[in-house]
């Protein structure tokens, strides 16, 4: 029998190696858990890397208050199953304390406000490494990230001042107050993630599969119409459509995809045929050409 690793096994082995390096080199690492497919796969890899021991990282979720209910239900059930420790930072608390100002208007979103809440949560927890599920194929700013990505004492990212990474040698040296973002699945693609989910039989939130939902169209995107916190213009008609999420984030900026993908096999086939990028349905990425990079420099995911 051939001992050659499949590309998924190679990716898995690399990610597990990185997660074990994080456990070895940092004192208080955590996993940034959004409830999206990438953070779910990341958490699964952490479970697999240290099994039968408990995951040695706390899960940190930044709650905008504008979540899909299905996301929170899945998060709580996963934490229960894994016996993991969950830390939740609330954007509403940042608003109440006057640290951020809530946007107003039809295109208002709390997505950008997460940065302050995230940095405060990391500081309060004294986390020196925040493990995220970002991938280089997602967006041009994320393609600039190292796997061990340095952040200064203000939590900010300077893409021109990052450590060189030679093969699988990762440099976690930092000064007091600084921390790292670590991206173990940087080298995965969207297709790799879904094929791995299929191979491992990982349970996913229902949002990723086709379901009937009330939606309306804005700027070429379908948005969920059921949450009361998304104001609609008079001409924006609500209809019921078969949709699914390709990415999951704040409801106000997460575009829905018209789809008939009821199974993992359907999703994989749909992704193979599409010519629209994964984040093509994220309204927050379209505010400017450098929207993601600007947010990341300020401390965003």
């Amino acid at each position: 029998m051939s001992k050659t690793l499949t590309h998924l096994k190679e990716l898995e082995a690399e990610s597990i190696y990185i997660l074990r390096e994080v456990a070895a080199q940092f004192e208080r690492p955590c996993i940034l858990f959004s409830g999206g497919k990438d953070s779910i796969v990341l958490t699964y890899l952490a479970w697999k890397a240290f099994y039968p021991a408990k995951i040695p990282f706390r899960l940190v979720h930044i709650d905008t208050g504008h979540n899909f209910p299905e996301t929170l239900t899945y998060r709580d059930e996963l934490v229960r199953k894994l016996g993991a420790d969950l830390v939740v930072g609330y954007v509403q608390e940042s608003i109440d304390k006057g640290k951020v100002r809530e946007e107003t208007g039809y295109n208002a979103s709390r997505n950008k406000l997460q940065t302050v809440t995230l940095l405060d949560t990391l500081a309060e927890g004294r986390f020196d490494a925040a493990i995220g599920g970002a991938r280089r194929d997602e967006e041009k700013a994320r393609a600039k990230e190292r796997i061990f990505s340095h952040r200064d004492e203000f939590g900010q990212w300077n893409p021109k001042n990052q450590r060189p990474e030679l093969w699988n040698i990762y440099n976690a040296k930092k000064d007091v107050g600084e921390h790292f973002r670590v991206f173990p699945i940087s080298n995965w693609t969207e297709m790799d993630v879904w094929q791995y989910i299929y191979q491992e039989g990982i349970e996913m939130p229902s949002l990723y599969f086709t379901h009937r939902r009330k939606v309306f169209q804005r700027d070429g995107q379908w948005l969920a119409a059921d949450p009361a916190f998304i104001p609609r213009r008079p001409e924006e008609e609500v209809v019921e459509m078969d949709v699914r999420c390709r990415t999951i984030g704040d409801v106000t900026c997460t575009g829905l995809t018209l789809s008939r993908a009821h199974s993992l096999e359907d999703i994989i086939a749909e992704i193979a045929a599409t010519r629209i990028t994964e984040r093509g349905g994220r309204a927050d990425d379209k505010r400017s050409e450098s929207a993601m990079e600007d947010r990341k420099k300020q401390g965003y995911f």
Side-chain angles (χ1 to χ4, degrees):
M1 183 170 61
S2 173
K3 295 184 179 180
T4 302
L5 293 176
T6 67
H7 84 284
L8 290 178
K9 285 297 182 182
E10 289 179 350
L11 289 171
E12 178 191 67
E14 178 188 51
S15 298
I16 287 176
Y17 171 80
I18 294 167
L19 288 163
R20 289 173 177 167
E21 279 292 298
V22 172
Q25 295 196 46
F26 294 95
E27 294 181 4
R28 292 181 64 83
C30 67
I31 290 177
L32 300 179
F33 186 84
S34 67
K37 65 183 183 308
D38 299 318
S39 66
I40 291 170
V41 166
L42 186 61
T43 304
Y44 176 84
L45 288 164
W47 169 80
K48 202 167 186 179
F50 299 98
Y51 182 84
K54 183 179 177 180
I55 295 177
F57 315 123
R58 288 188 173 184
L59 303 187
V60 172
H61 179 223
I62 304 304
D63 186 344
T64 65
H66 292 171
N67 299 286
F68 288 100
E70 296 94 327
T71 301
L72 300 182
T73 299
Y74 181 94
R75 179 200 70 185
D76 294 342
E77 181 62 18
L78 181 65
V79 168
R80 185 192 66 79
K81 284 181 179 179
L82 296 178
D85 296 324
L86 175 67
V87 176
V88 181
Y90 296 95
V91 171
Q92 186 62 52
E93 290 185 3
S94 299
I95 295 171
D96 294 342
K97 292 177 180 178
K99 292 188 173 184
V100 294
R101 180 181 296 178
E102 184 147 29
E103 295 180 359
T104 59
Y106 289 113
N107 294 312
S109 172
R110 288 186 174 182
N111 197 54
K112 185 178 180 180
L113 308 187
Q114 294 182 80
T115 299
V116 171
T117 310
L118 171 63
L119 294 176
D120 285 347
T121 303
L122 293 178
E124 289 168 8
R126 294 183 292 111
F127 297 114
D128 55 356
I131 311 166
R135 307 185 326 271
R136 288 174 177 146
D137 76 317
E138 283 182 271
E139 201 272 343
K140 59 185 179 182
R142 287 183 167 169
K144 298 179 181 180
E145 290 277 20
R146 300 290 195 270
I147 289 178
F148 273 35
S149 184
H150 176 262
R151 297 299 194 270
D152 65 19
E153 65 271 27
F154 302 106
Q156 297 180 333
W157 173 62
N158 182 352
K160 296 182 180 179
N161 185 29
Q162 294 294 313
R163 314 285 172 74
E165 288 183 343
L166 307 175
W167 299 284
N168 60 353
I169 300 174
Y170 303 111
N171 183 354
K173 184 179 180 181
K174 59 180 177 56
D175 291 328
V176 175
E178 299 175 345
H179 74 275
F180 275 80
R181 305 289 171 86
V182 181
F183 303 107
I185 63 171
S186 284
N187 293 327
W188 298 48
T189 66
E190 181 187 13
M191 180 64 82
D192 292 330
V193 169
W194 280 112
Q195 288 179 334
Y196 187 74
I197 290 168
Y198 176 73
Q199 172 185 283
E200 299 293 308
I202 302 173
E203 185 177 348
M204 299 300 291
S206 59
L207 288 167
Y208 278 114
F209 301 94
T210 296
H211 56 286
R212 197 78 174 169
R213 199 177 201 99
K214 291 182 178 180
V215 296
F216 67 96
Q217 195 168 50
R218 175 180 293 170
D219 300 328
Q221 294 178 320
W222 291 102
L223 296 174
D226 34 3
F229 44 76
I230 303 183
R232 294 190 303 276
R233 299 183 177 95
E235 68 274 14
E236 292 174 334
E237 180 184 1
V238 175
V239 295
E240 283 196 359
M241 305 287 285
D242 289 330
V243 296
R244 74 175 190 89
C245 289
R246 194 169 167 191
T247 67
I248 295 178
D250 188 284
V251 176
T252 59
C253 59
T254 299
L256 302 170
T257 301
L258 301 181
S259 174
R260 295 182 178 179
H262 295 280
S263 66
L264 291 175
E265 295 95 328
D266 292 341
I267 290 174
I268 291 170
E270 185 176 272
I271 292 170
T274 189
R275 293 297 176 266
I276 300 173
T277 62
E278 179 181 0
R279 294 187 67 91
R282 292 295 293 267
D284 50 322
D285 287 354
K286 298 181 180 180
R287 293 193 169 193
S288 74
E289 289 187 2
S290 60
M292 172 65 81
E293 183 161 339
D294 292 341
R295 294 200 305 273
K296 287 179 69 64
K297 286 179 179 178
Q298 295 169 3
Y300 186 74
F301 303 109

